[in-house]
Amino acid sequence: EIEARRVAQEEAKAEKLRIAEETKAKRAAEAEAKQQELAEKKRLQEEQAAKARASQQKKQEAVKTVSKAPRGATISLFGLGQTNDNSSSAASAAPGGIPTISQWRQERDGSITGVISGSSAFKNGDPITTSPIRGNAVGGSTVTTKSGSKYFLSDNGTPANNAKADQQAAAAEKKRLAEEKKAQQLEARRQAEEQRKQAAAAVAEKKRIESEKRAEAQLKKKKEQEAKALQAAKKQQAQAAVSQAKKGSTISLFGFGGGSDDSQTSASTASVRKSPTIQLQPPPKKAPTQQIKKATTAPNGIPTISGWKLNGDGSISGRISGSTNFKQGELI
């Protein structure tokens, strides 16, 4: 489950990074397109200014020519003052090096769709659609697109109603911008929702880890309490067994106590160790005139502790003999 969550978080992070890169690339493309549009607009303005200067110069030349002409003389004003972008004079063939578009029609955005011939970039007969042109589309004339490409239009074409086409193109552009804005808003909302989900998942994961840590701490504390309770119970059992044992009897202290407090033993028993099964032998004392007969030797295989005493924690201190684990007379 933890691995699945980790994989999901990594996938969400990768998706977020991909969206950010796509958004960055989209913005860069939009910025580049805007720069190109501004450059094209500037170029058109420069062309219009140049044409206006040329037209003004021609008018000045015409005025100058007329003012200098003698009365009754015949002068030609052909070519003076004309400013049409595309040639309005009909021609039967394209100028050299300019492709021809036949069976053409002008689209609403001002572009030309038709069949091209005489082009080095297309095969003869290929259908194409140009970028929007400047000026009017007239059969038998050469037109120039906004990108600067030139094409000769044959006579068998259909020009568009420029005013209506401009309105429709403006409406289409407005619609496109609105749809693009709407898509950007939807994308922004989607990213915000994704970030909210990731934050909620991170909070939930943090709470889960904290809950697991608390549960582990509680379990550890419970085990420690149970161990302490078991230790206390064993200690009580050892104390009860020793207090009830008769002198000279054999008892088993295996598993009792679980540990001893060295501070409660006397200085003479500082290095005492425990033996699992022992026989208690009373310290030497004057024998009464009459006493009950007791065992004077330990059963076979059982060590003997002499000079013993019962400590406060229920353990036995004394000197051991007959043990395979200790030396004779060693203090335990």
Side-chain angles (χ1 to χ4, degrees), residues 139-229:
S141 65
T142 300
V143 296
T144 303
T145 65
K146 291 183 178 180
S147 61
S149 301
K150 292 186 177 182
Y151 299 96
F152 177 77
L153 302 180
S154 65
D155 291 333
N156 56 348
T158 306
N161 185 332
N162 290 332
K164 185 177 180 180
D166 290 342
Q167 292 177 356
Q168 292 174 341
E173 179 66 12
K174 185 177 180 181
K175 182 179 179 181
R176 185 188 68 80
L177 292 175
E179 291 177 350
E180 184 175 338
K181 183 177 180 181
K182 183 178 179 181
Q184 290 176 351
Q185 291 174 346
L186 290 174
E187 178 64 19
R189 284 198 294 268
R190 191 192 68 78
Q191 290 184 3
E193 179 65 17
E194 182 67 23
Q195 292 176 355
R196 186 192 66 78
K197 289 181 178 179
Q198 290 180 1
V203 171
E205 178 65 12
K206 184 178 180 181
K207 288 182 178 179
R208 185 192 65 79
I209 293 173
E210 291 176 351
S211 178
E212 287 182 354
K213 288 183 178 180
R214 286 195 299 270
E216 289 177 358
Q218 291 174 356
L219 181 60
K220 183 178 180 181
K221 184 177 180 181
K222 183 180 179 181
K223 288 183 177 179
E224 290 176 351
Q225 291 175 348
E226 290 177 350
K228 288 180 179 179

Coordinates of all heavy atoms in Angstrom, one line a residue, residues 139-229:
G139 N -9.0 37.7 -60.6 CA -8.5 36.8 -61.5 C -7.6 37.5 -62.6 O -7.9 38.6 -63.0
G140 N -6.5 36.8 -63.0 CA -5.6 37.4 -63.9 C -4.6 38.4 -63.3 O -4.0 39.2 -64.0
S141 N -4.5 38.4 -61.9 CA -3.6 39.3 -61.3 C -2.7 38.5 -60.3 O -3.0 37.4 -60.0 CB -4.4 40.4 -60.5 OG -5.1 39.8 -59.4
T142 N -1.7 39.2 -59.9 CA -0.7 38.6 -58.9 C -1.1 39.2 -57.5 O -1.2 40.4 -57.3 CB 0.7 39.0 -59.3 OG1 1.0 38.5 -60.6 CG2 1.7 38.4 -58.2
V143 N -1.2 38.3 -56.6 CA -1.6 38.7 -55.2 C -0.4 38.3 -54.3 O 0.4 37.5 -54.6 CB -2.8 37.9 -54.7 CG1 -4.0 38.4 -55.5 CG2 -2.6 36.4 -54.7
T144 N -0.3 39.1 -53.2 CA 0.8 38.8 -52.2 C 0.1 38.5 -50.8 O -0.8 39.2 -50.4 CB 1.7 40.1 -52.1 OG1 2.2 40.4 -53.3 CG2 2.8 39.9 -51.1
T145 N 0.6 37.4 -50.2 CA 0.1 37.1 -48.9 C 0.8 37.9 -47.8 O 1.7 38.6 -48.1 CB 0.4 35.6 -48.6 OG1 1.8 35.4 -48.5 CG2 -0.2 34.7 -49.7
K146 N 0.2 37.9 -46.6 CA 0.8 38.6 -45.5 C 2.1 38.1 -45.1 O 2.9 38.9 -44.5 CB -0.2 38.5 -44.3 CG -1.5 39.3 -44.5 CD -2.3 39.2 -43.3 CE -3.6 40.0 -43.5 NZ -4.5 40.0 -42.3
S147 N 2.5 36.9 -45.5 CA 3.8 36.4 -45.2 C 4.8 36.7 -46.3 O 6.0 36.5 -46.1 CB 3.7 34.8 -45.1 OG 3.3 34.3 -46.3
G148 N 4.3 37.4 -47.4 CA 5.2 37.8 -48.4 C 5.3 37.0 -49.6 O 6.0 37.3 -50.6
S149 N 4.5 35.8 -49.7 CA 4.5 35.0 -50.9 C 3.6 35.6 -52.0 O 2.6 36.2 -51.7 CB 4.0 33.6 -50.5 OG 4.9 33.0 -49.5
K150 N 4.0 35.3 -53.2 CA 3.3 35.9 -54.4 C 2.7 34.7 -55.2 O 3.4 33.7 -55.4 CB 4.2 36.8 -55.2 CG 4.6 38.1 -54.6 CD 5.3 39.0 -55.5 CE 5.6 40.3 -54.8 NZ 6.3 41.2 -55.7
Y151 N 1.5 34.9 -55.7 CA 0.8 33.9 -56.5 C 0.1 34.6 -57.6 O -0.5 35.7 -57.4 CB -0.1 33.0 -55.7 CG 0.5 32.3 -54.6 CD1 0.5 32.7 -53.3 CD2 1.1 31.0 -54.9 CE1 1.1 32.0 -52.3 CE2 1.7 30.3 -53.8 CZ 1.7 30.8 -52.6 OH 2.3 30.1 -51.6
F152 N 0.0 34.0 -58.8 CA -0.8 34.5 -59.9 C -2.1 33.8 -59.9 O -2.2 32.5 -59.9 CB -0.1 34.3 -61.2 CG -0.9 34.8 -62.4 CD1 -1.0 36.1 -62.7 CD2 -1.6 33.8 -63.2 CE1 -1.8 36.5 -63.8 CE2 -2.3 34.3 -64.3 CZ -2.4 35.6 -64.6
L153 N -3.2 34.5 -59.9 CA -4.6 33.9 -59.9 C -5.1 33.8 -61.3 O -5.1 34.8 -62.0 CB -5.5 34.8 -59.0 CG -5.1 34.9 -57.5 CD1 -6.2 35.8 -56.8 CD2 -4.9 33.6 -56.9
S154 N -5.5 32.6 -61.7 CA -6.1 32.5 -63.1 C -7.5 33.1 -63.1 O -8.0 33.5 -62.1 CB -6.2 31.0 -63.4 OG -7.1 30.3 -62.5
D155 N -8.1 33.1 -64.3 CA -9.4 33.8 -64.4 C -10.5 33.0 -63.8 O -11.6 33.5 -63.5 CB -9.7 34.1 -65.9 CG -8.7 35.1 -66.5 OD1 -8.3 36.0 -65.7 OD2 -8.4 35.1 -67.7
N156 N -10.4 31.7 -63.7 CA -11.5 30.8 -63.2 C -11.5 30.7 -61.7 O -11.3 29.6 -61.1 CB -11.4 29.4 -63.8 CG -10.0 28.8 -63.5 OD1 -9.1 29.4 -63.0 ND2 -9.9 27.5 -63.8
G157 N -11.7 31.8 -61.0 CA -11.7 31.8 -59.5 C -12.9 32.6 -59.0 O -13.7 33.2 -59.8
T158 N -13.1 32.5 -57.7 CA -14.2 33.1 -57.0 C -13.7 34.0 -55.9 O -13.3 33.5 -54.9 CB -15.2 32.1 -56.5 OG1 -15.6 31.2 -57.5 CG2 -16.4 32.7 -55.9
P159 N -13.7 35.3 -56.1 CA -13.3 36.2 -55.0 C -14.4 36.2 -53.9 O -15.5 36.0 -54.1 CB -13.1 37.6 -55.7 CG -14.0 37.5 -56.9 CD -14.0 36.1 -57.3
A160 N -14.0 36.6 -52.7 CA -14.9 36.7 -51.6 C -15.3 38.1 -51.4 O -14.7 39.1 -51.9 CB -14.2 36.2 -50.3
N161 N -16.5 38.3 -50.7 CA -16.9 39.6 -50.3 C -16.1 40.1 -49.2 O -16.2 39.6 -48.1 CB -18.4 39.5 -49.9 CG -19.0 40.9 -49.6 OD1 -18.2 41.8 -49.2 ND2 -20.3 41.1 -49.8
N162 N -15.2 41.0 -49.5 CA -14.1 41.3 -48.5 C -14.7 41.9 -47.2 O -14.2 41.5 -46.1 CB -13.2 42.4 -49.1 CG -12.3 41.8 -50.2 OD1 -12.0 40.6 -50.2 ND2 -11.9 42.6 -51.2
A163 N -15.7 42.7 -47.3 CA -16.3 43.3 -46.0 C -16.8 42.1 -45.2 O -16.6 42.1 -44.0 CB -17.3 44.3 -46.4
K164 N -17.6 41.3 -45.8 CA -18.2 40.2 -45.1 C -17.2 39.2 -44.6 O -17.3 38.7 -43.4 CB -19.2 39.4 -46.0 CG -20.0 38.3 -45.3 CD -21.0 37.7 -46.2 CE -21.8 36.6 -45.5 NZ -22.8 36.0 -46.4
A165 N -16.1 39.0 -45.4 CA -15.1 38.1 -45.0 C -14.3 38.6 -43.8 O -14.0 37.9 -42.8 CB -14.1 37.8 -46.1
D166 N -14.1 39.9 -43.8 CA -13.4 40.5 -42.6 C -14.2 40.4 -41.4 O -13.7 40.1 -40.3 CB -13.1 42.0 -42.9 CG -12.1 42.2 -44.0 OD1 -11.4 41.2 -44.3 OD2 -12.0 43.3 -44.6
Q167 N -15.5 40.6 -41.5 CA -16.4 40.5 -40.3 C -16.4 39.0 -39.8 O -16.3 38.8 -38.6 CB -17.8 40.9 -40.7 CG -18.0 42.4 -40.9 CD -19.4 42.8 -41.3 OE1 -20.2 41.9 -41.5 NE2 -19.6 44.1 -41.5
Q168 N -16.5 38.1 -40.7 CA -16.5 36.7 -40.3 C -15.2 36.3 -39.7 O -15.1 35.5 -38.7 CB -16.9 35.8 -41.5 CG -18.3 36.0 -42.0 CD -18.6 35.2 -43.3 OE1 -17.7 34.8 -44.0 NE2 -19.9 35.0 -43.5
A169 N -14.1 36.8 -40.3 CA -12.8 36.5 -39.8 C -12.6 37.0 -38.4 O -12.1 36.4 -37.5 CB -11.7 37.0 -40.7
A170 N -13.1 38.3 -38.2 CA -13.0 38.9 -36.9 C -13.8 38.1 -35.8 O -13.4 37.9 -34.7 CB -13.5 40.4 -36.9
A171 N -15.0 37.7 -36.3 CA -15.9 36.9 -35.4 C -15.2 35.6 -35.0 O -15.3 35.1 -33.9 CB -17.2 36.7 -36.0
A172 N -14.6 34.9 -36.0 CA -13.9 33.6 -35.8 C -12.8 33.8 -34.9 O -12.5 33.0 -34.0 CB -13.5 33.0 -37.1
E173 N -12.0 34.9 -35.0 CA -10.9 35.2 -34.2 C -11.3 35.4 -32.7 O -10.7 34.9 -31.8 CB -10.1 36.4 -34.7 CG -8.9 36.7 -33.9 CD -7.8 35.7 -33.9 OE1 -7.8 34.7 -34.7 OE2 -6.8 35.8 -33.0
K174 N -12.4 36.2 -32.6 CA -12.9 36.5 -31.3 C -13.4 35.2 -30.6 O -13.1 35.0 -29.4 CB -14.1 37.4 -31.4 CG -14.7 37.9 -30.1 CD -15.8 38.9 -30.3 CE -16.4 39.3 -28.9 NZ -17.5 40.3 -29.1
K175 N -14.0 34.3 -31.4 CA -14.5 33.0 -30.8 C -13.3 32.2 -30.4 O -13.3 31.5 -29.4 CB -15.3 32.3 -31.9 CG -15.9 31.0 -31.4 CD -16.8 30.3 -32.4 CE -17.3 29.0 -31.9 NZ -18.1 28.3 -33.0
R176 N -12.3 32.2 -31.3 CA -11.1 31.4 -31.0 C -10.4 31.9 -29.7 O -10.0 31.1 -28.8 CB -10.1 31.5 -32.1 CG -8.8 30.6 -31.9 CD -7.8 30.9 -33.0 NE -7.2 32.2 -32.8 CZ -6.3 32.5 -31.9 NH1 -5.8 31.5 -31.1 NH2 -5.8 33.7 -31.8
L177 N -10.3 33.2 -29.5 CA -9.7 33.7 -28.3 C -10.5 33.4 -27.1 O -9.9 33.1 -26.0 CB -9.5 35.3 -28.4 CG -8.5 35.7 -29.5 CD1 -8.6 37.3 -29.6 CD2 -7.1 35.3 -29.1
A178 N -11.9 33.4 -27.2 CA -12.7 33.1 -26.1 C -12.6 31.6 -25.7 O -12.5 31.3 -24.5 CB -14.2 33.4 -26.4
E179 N -12.5 30.8 -26.7 CA -12.3 29.3 -26.4 C -11.0 29.1 -25.8 O -10.8 28.3 -24.9 CB -12.5 28.5 -27.7 CG -13.9 28.5 -28.2 CD -14.0 27.8 -29.6 OE1 -12.9 27.4 -30.1 OE2 -15.1 27.5 -30.0
E180 N -9.9 29.8 -26.3 CA -8.6 29.6 -25.7 C -8.6 30.1 -24.3 O -8.0 29.4 -23.4 CB -7.6 30.4 -26.5 CG -6.2 30.2 -26.1 CD -5.2 30.9 -27.0 OE1 -5.6 31.2 -28.2 OE2 -4.1 31.2 -26.6
K181 N -9.2 31.2 -24.0 CA -9.3 31.7 -22.6 C -10.0 30.7 -21.7 O -9.6 30.5 -20.6 CB -10.0 33.1 -22.6 CG -10.0 33.7 -21.2 CD -10.6 35.1 -21.3 CE -10.7 35.7 -19.9 NZ -11.3 37.1 -19.9
K182 N -11.1 30.2 -22.2 CA -11.9 29.2 -21.4 C -11.0 28.0 -21.2 O -11.1 27.4 -20.0 CB -13.1 28.8 -22.2 CG -14.1 27.9 -21.5 CD -15.3 27.6 -22.3 CE -16.2 26.6 -21.5 NZ -17.4 26.3 -22.3
A183 N -10.3 27.5 -22.2 CA -9.4 26.3 -22.0 C -8.3 26.6 -20.9 O -8.0 25.8 -20.1 CB -8.8 26.0 -23.3
Q184 N -7.8 27.8 -20.9 CA -6.8 28.2 -20.0 C -7.4 28.2 -18.5 O -6.7 27.8 -17.6 CB -6.2 29.6 -20.3 CG -5.3 29.5 -21.5 CD -4.8 30.9 -21.9 OE1 -5.2 31.9 -21.3 NE2 -3.9 31.0 -22.9
Q185 N -8.6 28.7 -18.4 CA -9.3 28.8 -17.1 C -9.5 27.3 -16.6 O -9.3 27.0 -15.4 CB -10.6 29.5 -17.2 CG -10.4 31.0 -17.4 CD -11.7 31.8 -17.6 OE1 -12.7 31.1 -17.9 NE2 -11.6 33.1 -17.6
L186 N -10.0 26.5 -17.5 CA -10.2 25.1 -17.1 C -8.9 24.4 -16.7 O -8.9 23.6 -15.7 CB -10.9 24.3 -18.3 CG -12.3 24.7 -18.7 CD1 -12.7 24.0 -19.9 CD2 -13.2 24.3 -17.5
E187 N -7.8 24.7 -17.4 CA -6.6 24.1 -17.1 C -6.1 24.6 -15.7 O -5.5 23.8 -14.9 CB -5.5 24.4 -18.2 CG -4.1 23.9 -17.9 CD -4.1 22.4 -17.9 OE1 -5.0 21.7 -18.4 OE2 -3.1 21.8 -17.3
A188 N -6.3 25.9 -15.5 CA -5.9 26.5 -14.2 C -6.7 25.8 -13.0 O -6.1 25.5 -12.0 CB -6.1 28.0 -14.2
R189 N -8.0 25.6 -13.3 CA -8.8 25.0 -12.2 C -8.4 23.5 -12.0 O -8.4 23.0 -10.9 CB -10.3 25.0 -12.6 CG -10.9 26.4 -12.4 CD -12.4 26.3 -12.4 NE -13.0 25.9 -13.6 CZ -13.4 26.8 -14.6 NH1 -13.3 28.1 -14.4 NH2 -13.9 26.4 -15.7
R190 N -8.1 22.8 -13.1 CA -7.6 21.5 -13.0 C -6.3 21.3 -12.2 O -6.2 20.5 -11.3 CB -7.4 20.8 -14.4 CG -7.2 19.3 -14.4 CD -6.8 18.8 -15.7 NE -5.4 19.3 -16.0 CZ -4.3 18.7 -15.4 NH1 -4.5 17.7 -14.6 NH2 -3.2 19.1 -15.7
Q191 N -5.4 22.3 -12.5 CA -4.1 22.2 -11.8 C -4.3 22.6 -10.3 O -3.7 21.9 -9.4 CB -3.1 23.3 -12.4 CG -2.6 22.9 -13.8 CD -1.6 23.8 -14.3 OE1 -1.2 24.8 -13.6 NE2 -1.2 23.6 -15.5
A192 N -5.2 23.5 -10.0 CA -5.5 23.9 -8.6 C -6.1 22.7 -7.9 O -5.8 22.4 -6.7 CB -6.5 25.1 -8.5
E193 N -7.0 22.0 -8.6 CA -7.7 20.8 -7.9 C -6.6 19.7 -7.7 O -6.6 19.0 -6.7 CB -8.8 20.3 -8.9 CG -9.5 19.0 -8.4 CD -10.3 19.3 -7.1 OE1 -10.5 20.4 -6.7 OE2 -10.6 18.3 -6.4
E194 N -5.7 19.5 -8.7 CA -4.7 18.5 -8.5 C -3.7 18.8 -7.4 O -3.4 18.0 -6.6 CB -3.8 18.4 -9.8 CG -2.7 17.4 -9.8 CD -3.3 16.0 -9.8 OE1 -4.5 15.8 -10.2 OE2 -2.6 15.1 -9.4
Q195 N -3.4 20.1 -7.2 CA -2.6 20.5 -6.1 C -3.3 20.3 -4.8 O -2.7 19.9 -3.8 CB -2.2 22.0 -6.2 CG -1.2 22.3 -7.4 CD -0.9 23.7 -7.6 OE1 -1.5 24.6 -6.9 NE2 0.0 24.0 -8.5
R196 N -4.6 20.6 -4.8 CA -5.4 20.4 -3.5 C -5.4 18.9 -3.1 O -5.2 18.5 -2.0 CB -6.8 20.9 -3.7 CG -7.7 20.8 -2.5 CD -9.1 21.1 -2.8 NE -9.7 20.0 -3.6 CZ -10.1 18.8 -3.1 NH1 -9.9 18.5 -1.8 NH2 -10.5 17.9 -3.9
K197 N -5.6 18.0 -4.1 CA -5.6 16.6 -3.9 C -4.2 16.1 -3.3 O -4.2 15.3 -2.4 CB -6.0 15.8 -5.1 CG -7.4 16.0 -5.6 CD -7.7 15.2 -6.8 CE -9.2 15.3 -7.2 NZ -9.5 14.5 -8.4
Q198 N -3.2 16.6 -3.9 CA -1.8 16.2 -3.5 C -1.6 16.7 -2.1 O -1.0 16.0 -1.3 CB -0.8 16.8 -4.4 CG -0.8 16.2 -5.8 CD 0.3 16.8 -6.7 OE1 1.0 17.7 -6.3 NE2 0.4 16.3 -8.0
A199 N -2.0 17.9 -1.7 CA -1.8 18.4 -0.4 C -2.6 17.6 0.6 O -2.2 17.2 1.7 CB -2.3 19.9 -0.3
A200 N -3.9 17.2 0.2 CA -4.7 16.4 1.1 C -4.1 15.0 1.3 O -4.1 14.5 2.4 CB -6.1 16.3 0.5
A201 N -3.5 14.5 0.2 CA -2.9 13.1 0.3 C -1.7 13.2 1.2 O -1.4 12.3 2.0 CB -2.5 12.6 -1.1
A202 N -0.9 14.3 1.1 CA 0.3 14.5 2.0 C -0.1 14.6 3.5 O 0.5 14.0 4.3 CB 1.1 15.7 1.6
V203 N -1.2 15.3 3.8 CA -1.7 15.4 5.1 C -2.1 14.1 5.7 O -1.8 13.7 6.8 CB -2.8 16.5 5.2 CG1 -3.5 16.5 6.6 CG2 -2.3 17.9 4.9
A204 N -2.9 13.3 4.8 CA -3.4 12.0 5.2 C -2.2 11.1 5.5 O -2.2 10.3 6.5 CB -4.3 11.4 4.2
E205 N -1.2 11.1 4.6 CA 0.0 10.3 4.8 C 0.7 10.6 6.1 O 1.2 9.7 6.9 CB 0.9 10.4 3.6 CG 2.2 9.6 3.7 CD 2.0 8.1 3.7 OE1 0.8 7.7 3.3 OE2 2.9 7.3 3.9
K206 N 0.8 11.9 6.4 CA 1.5 12.3 7.7 C 0.7 11.8 8.9 O 1.3 11.3 9.8 CB 1.6 13.8 7.7 CG 2.3 14.4 8.9 CD 2.5 15.9 8.8 CE 3.2 16.4 10.0 NZ 3.3 17.9 10.0
K207 N -0.6 11.9 8.8 CA -1.5 11.5 9.9 C -1.3 9.9 10.1 O -1.3 9.4 11.2 CB -2.9 11.8 9.7 CG -3.2 13.3 9.8 CD -4.7 13.6 9.7 CE -5.0 15.1 9.9 NZ -6.4 15.4 9.7
R208 N -1.3 9.2 9.0 CA -1.1 7.8 9.1 C 0.2 7.4 9.7 O 0.2 6.5 10.6 CB -1.2 7.2 7.7 CG -1.2 5.6 7.6 CD -1.0 5.1 6.2 NE 0.3 5.5 5.7 CZ 1.4 4.8 6.1 NH1 1.4 3.8 6.9 NH2 2.6 5.2 5.6
I209 N 1.3 8.0 9.3 CA 2.6 7.7 9.9 C 2.6 8.0 11.4 O 3.1 7.2 12.2 CB 3.7 8.5 9.2 CG1 3.8 8.0 7.7 CG2 5.0 8.4 9.9 CD1 4.7 8.8 6.9
E210 N 2.0 9.2 11.8 CA 1.9 9.5 13.2 C 1.1 8.5 14.0 O 1.4 8.2 15.1 CB 1.4 10.9 13.4 CG 2.3 12.0 12.8 CD 1.6 13.4 12.9 OE1 0.4 13.5 13.2 OE2 2.3 14.4 12.7
S211 N 0.0 8.1 13.4 CA -0.9 7.1 14.1 C -0.1 5.8 14.3 O -0.2 5.1 15.3 CB -2.1 6.8 13.2 OG -2.9 5.8 13.8
E212 N 0.7 5.3 13.2 CA 1.4 4.1 13.4 C 2.5 4.2 14.5 O 2.7 3.3 15.2 CB 2.1 3.8 12.0 CG 1.1 3.3 11.0 CD 1.9 2.9 9.7 OE1 3.1 3.2 9.6 OE2 1.2 2.4 8.8
K213 N 3.1 5.4 14.5 CA 4.1 5.6 15.6 C 3.5 5.6 17.0 O 4.1 5.0 17.9 CB 4.8 7.0 15.4 CG 5.8 7.0 14.2 CD 6.5 8.3 14.1 CE 7.5 8.4 12.9 NZ 8.1 9.7 12.8
R214 N 2.3 6.2 17.1 CA 1.6 6.1 18.4 C 1.3 4.7 18.8 O 1.4 4.3 19.9 CB 0.4 7.0 18.4 CG 0.7 8.5 18.4 CD -0.6 9.3 18.8 NE -1.6 9.1 17.8 CZ -1.8 9.8 16.7 NH1 -1.0 10.9 16.5 NH2 -2.7 9.6 15.8
A215 N 0.8 3.9 17.8 CA 0.4 2.5 18.1 C 1.6 1.7 18.5 O 1.5 0.9 19.4 CB -0.3 1.9 16.8
E216 N 2.7 1.9 17.8 CA 4.0 1.2 18.2 C 4.4 1.6 19.6 O 4.8 0.7 20.3 CB 5.1 1.5 17.2 CG 4.8 0.9 15.8 CD 5.9 1.4 14.8 OE1 6.8 2.1 15.2 OE2 5.8 0.9 13.6
A217 N 4.3 2.9 19.9 CA 4.7 3.3 21.3 C 3.8 2.7 22.3 O 4.3 2.2 23.4 CB 4.7 4.8 21.4
Q218 N 2.5 2.7 22.1 CA 1.6 2.0 23.0 C 1.8 0.6 23.2 O 1.8 0.0 24.3 CB 0.1 2.3 22.5 CG -0.3 3.8 22.6 CD -1.7 4.0 22.0 OE1 -2.3 3.1 21.5 NE2 -2.2 5.2 22.1
L219 N 2.1 -0.1 22.1 CA 2.4 -1.6 22.1 C 3.7 -1.8 22.9 O 3.7 -2.8 23.7 CB 2.5 -2.1 20.7 CG 2.8 -3.6 20.6 CD1 1.7 -4.4 21.3 CD2 3.0 -4.1 19.1
K220 N 4.7 -1.0 22.7 CA 6.0 -1.2 23.4 C 5.7 -0.9 24.9 O 6.3 -1.7 25.7 CB 7.0 -0.2 22.9 CG 8.3 -0.3 23.5 CD 9.3 0.7 22.9 CE 10.7 0.6 23.5 NZ 11.6 1.6 23.0
K221 N 5.0 0.1 25.2 CA 4.7 0.4 26.6 C 3.9 -0.8 27.3 O 4.2 -1.1 28.4 CB 3.9 1.7 26.8 CG 3.6 2.2 28.2 CD 2.9 3.5 28.2 CE 2.6 3.9 29.6 NZ 1.9 5.2 29.6
K222 N 2.9 -1.3 26.6 CA 2.2 -2.4 27.1 C 3.0 -3.6 27.4 O 2.9 -4.3 28.4 CB 1.1 -2.8 26.1 CG 0.1 -3.9 26.6 CD -0.9 -4.2 25.6 CE -1.8 -5.3 26.0 NZ -2.9 -5.7 25.0
K223 N 4.0 -3.9 26.4 CA 4.9 -5.1 26.6 C 5.8 -4.9 27.8 O 6.1 -5.8 28.6 CB 5.7 -5.3 25.3 CG 4.9 -5.9 24.2 CD 5.8 -6.1 23.0 CE 5.0 -6.7 21.8 NZ 5.9 -7.0 20.7
E224 N 6.3 -3.6 28.0 CA 7.1 -3.3 29.1 C 6.3 -3.5 30.4 O 6.9 -4.0 31.4 CB 7.6 -1.9 29.0 CG 8.7 -1.7 27.9 CD 9.1 -0.3 27.8 OE1 8.5 0.6 28.4 OE2 10.1 0.0 27.0
Q225 N 5.1 -3.0 30.5 CA 4.3 -3.2 31.7 C 4.0 -4.7 32.0 O 4.1 -5.1 33.1 CB 2.9 -2.5 31.5 CG 3.1 -0.9 31.5 CD 1.8 -0.2 31.2 OE1 0.8 -0.9 30.8 NE2 1.7 1.1 31.4
E226 N 3.7 -5.5 30.9 CA 3.5 -6.9 31.1 C 4.8 -7.6 31.6 O 4.7 -8.5 32.5 CB 3.1 -7.5 29.8 CG 1.7 -7.1 29.3 CD 1.3 -7.7 28.0 OE1 2.2 -8.3 27.3 OE2 0.1 -7.6 27.6
A227 N 5.9 -7.2 31.1 CA 7.2 -7.8 31.5 C 7.5 -7.4 33.0 O 7.9 -8.3 33.8 CB 8.4 -7.3 30.6
K228 N 7.2 -6.2 33.4 CA 7.4 -5.8 34.8 C 6.4 -6.6 35.7 O 6.8 -7.0 36.8 CB 7.1 -4.3 34.9 CG 8.2 -3.4 34.3 CD 7.9 -2.0 34.5 CE 9.1 -1.1 34.0 NZ 8.8 0.3 34.1
A229 N 5.2 -6.7 35.3 CA 4.2 -7.5 36.1 C 4.6 -8.9 36.2 O 4.5 -9.5 37.3 CB 2.8 -7.4 35.4

